[in-house]
Amino acid sequence: MIKVGDKLPAGTLMEYSEVEGNGCSIGPNPVDVQTAAAGKTIAIFALPGAFTPTCSAKHVPGFVQQAADLKAAGVDEIWCISVNDAFVMGAWARDQKTTGVVRMLGDGSADYTKATGLTLDLTARGMGLRSNRYSMLVKDGVVKTLNIEAPGKFEVSDAGTLLAQAKAA
């Protein structure tokens, strides 16, 4: 399992783009994690699934609401990672109004989530292999803080916790 001091694993996530520009075409575009994280401070949070109750009502909205404060604390980008395809993440981004605030990155086959070691098996609930709920502060591709939730909990991976950690860094 990934831990503080580790480099982010190599891998590719997918991001849905609504408009063409900045080298991106409309639709799903690959995001090489190590390249995208290089030289930046990134607030990353991951969750079990798009459009799920806690994720939609608390986790994503918290990061949208705290985005300006996170940026003021030195965070260059905010990433949301979920084991969903880029089309679902794009629809969820529209629903949550994250455009220009939080990058919604899909890990459709859970390959990146497996590489972090932060998987959550929700097969018994009909959801298959998903991501555990967590947040981390990453500087130049290296994990500086990591907040992993216990199954079914939402206590330490919220935007307020990561904001306090970013301010202390």
Side-chain angles (χ1 to χ4, degrees):
M1 182 186 325
I2 196 168
K3 61 187 179 313
V4 171
D6 288 351
K7 284 192 69 70
L8 289 175
T12 302
L13 298 168
M14 297 299 288
E15 182 174 36
Y16 189 86
S17 180
E18 297 281 350
V19 294
E20 196 163 6
N22 296 328
C24 294
S25 60
I26 294 173
N29 287 278
V31 175
D32 180 277
V33 172
Q34 290 182 329
T35 301
K40 297 177 188 166
T41 297
I42 303 173
I44 298 175
F45 67 105
L47 34 80
F51 295 105
T52 57
T54 301
C55 304
S56 291
K58 296 179 183 176
H59 215 168
V60 173
F63 278 91
V64 171
Q65 292 162 2
Q66 298 278 351
D69 292 332
L70 283 160
K71 300 254 178 180
V75 171
D76 297 304
E77 293 182 2
I78 303 168
W79 296 2
C80 173
I81 300 173
S82 184
V83 179
N84 292 105
D85 64 62
F87 295 101
V88 169
M89 293 301 282
W92 198 30
R94 285 188 298 279
D95 179 72
Q96 294 285 309
K97 298 175 179 37
T98 64
T99 303
V101 181
V102 176
R103 294 183 76 177
M104 304 296 274
L105 302 171
D107 182 22
S109 298
D111 290 337
Y112 192 77
T113 298
K114 290 175 197 171
T116 67
L118 293 169
T119 58
L120 178 64
D121 188 350
L122 293 176
T123 303
R125 297 181 71 197
M127 294 175 68
L129 188 65
R130 295 294 176 139
S131 174
N132 200 349
R133 186 182 304 280
Y134 66 87
S135 66
M136 65 172 81
L137 189 64
V138 175
K139 289 189 179 185
D140 196 23
V142 177
V143 178
K144 297 299 181 183
T145 67
L146 178 59
N147 311 297
I148 303 169
E149 297 286 359
K153 298 292 184 184
F154 181 62
E155 299 169 344
V156 298
S157 65
D158 60 293
T161 298
L162 206 59
L163 174 59
Q165 292 169 337
K167 285 181 177 179

